[in-house]
Amino acid sequence: MTALLDATGLFFKPARDAFPGAVAAEWAAAAALDPGAVGPDGAWRLDFRCFAVADPDGSGWTMIDAGVGPAEGPGAPWCPVPGRLPELLTEAGIDRADVHTVVLTHLHEDHTGWAADAAGRPFFPAARYVVQRAETAALDRLDPVWDWVVEPLRASGQLHEVDGGHRLRPGLTLLPTPGHTPGHQSVLVERPDGRDVLVTGDAVVHAVQLAAPAVAYAHERDPATARASREELLARAVDRGAILATAHLTRPFVDPPGAGTR
Ligand SMILES: [Zn+2]
């Protein structure tokens, strides 16, 4: 499993405005868990990351999320810099034609930027793109992700909509974690070495939500549902002895809170 850092930079609002419910002790704990996220003058420095999971037999790849995309992509109005996924794939020796599956945790700009290109062609030509049906159903037709991602993938027959929990492939399971968006999903990756990985998507966006999982993110569609999903996901990670893989912390892999206590 390979972490691919598409972009990194400062969020468009201060960290305390993004998590207005967090208190000083929780910010201190967050800074200890992810010191890289502490930017200048209260800024939130965050990564924008995707993951590539190799098939056990080496025959292909599953991508989890598709980054902020190119300079002309839908994330450009607010993402700090364009993404560099094409170079990262080359460096990692991953041919995009060998990606047979792309799981989109949700349909926000910073997770779908490389799903397609500016000409409206699917970026991964042979992949089926897996998204929850509840996510596409809730997406506004005027959202830039509709034209950038949903339309071209539907047109090419590559959009694969699923409902709820789903065993996608051996060792890869979709876990619905709604709240951040209506059809948000996380991914459980069972690894041959026995150390499972839970790819959180935006169920966890900042270490302050590991220090205090009840803390809401200001851009969650349904904060109460998001909190329940986050708490359940973190408990599941502890139960399984799984490590978390996050899109936006400045460390790709991090232990869930309470790891090793059960
Ligand atoms: Zn995000």
Side-chain angles (χ1 to χ4, degrees):
M1 181 166 176
T2 304
L4 299 163
L5 181 57
D6 190 41
T8 191
L10 300 181
F11 197 55
F12 58 81
K13 60 167 75 164
R16 282 170 196 263
D17 292 352
F19 307 91
V23 300
E26 292 160 353
W27 284 115
L33 287 167
D34 188 13
V38 182
D41 300 322
W44 172 17
R45 183 181 292 113
L46 77 169
D47 287 351
F48 296 85
R49 187 179 294 105
C50 351
F51 295 91
V53 184
D55 288 345
D57 65 1
S59 61
W61 294 88
T62 297
M63 286 289 302
I64 302 174
D65 278 338
V68 303
E72 62 273 52
W78 68 270
C79 294
V81 289
R84 43 189 298 267
L85 188 65
E87 300 98 275
L88 296 174
L89 291 173
T90 301
E91 287 167 17
I94 300 172
D95 184 335
R96 61 172 113 160
D98 292 336
V99 174
H100 48 62
T101 307
V102 179
V103 177
L104 299 174
T105 61
H106 63 299
L107 295 177
H108 276 168
E109 301 90 339
D110 57 320
H111 295 256
T112 58
W114 295 106
D117 65 21
R121 289 177 302 236
F123 184 79
F124 297 98
R128 63 173 179 157
Y129 289 72
V130 182
V131 65
Q132 291 285 322
R133 196 180 316 274
E135 186 73 358
T136 44
L139 190 70
D140 194 300
R141 299 294 188 277
L142 299 177
D143 190 298
V145 173
W146 187 271
D147 284 342
W148 186 267
V149 179
V150 176
E151 276 297 333
L153 296 182
R154 274 213 175 125
S156 70
Q158 287 170 261
L159 190 68
H160 185 76
E161 294 169 273
V162 298
D163 295 300
H166 196 83
R167 180 98 169 162
L168 197 58
R169 310 176 54 80
L172 274 179
T173 304
L174 305 179
L175 304 172
T177 43
H180 179 74
T181 55
H184 188 279
Q185 59 186 347
S186 303
V187 185
L188 173 65
V189 182
E190 293 166 273
R191 292 176 6 130
D193 67 5
R195 188 82 207 263
D196 294 346
V197 181
L198 261 171
V199 184
T200 65
D202 280 1
V204 174
V205 297
H206 190 287
V208 78
Q209 296 177 304
L210 299 179
V215 166
Y217 170 46
H219 299 279
E220 286 165 345
R221 179 79 69 91
D222 177 345
T225 303
R227 172 183 173 175
S229 290
R230 181 165 48 253
E231 291 177 341
E232 191 184 324
L233 188 71
L234 294 175
R236 184 190 288 255
V238 173
D239 277 345
R240 295 191 71 99
I243 197 164
L244 307 176
T246 74
H248 295 307
L249 273 64
T250 71
R251 306 162 53 190
F253 300 103
V254 59
D255 279 319
T261 59
R262 292 190 200 185

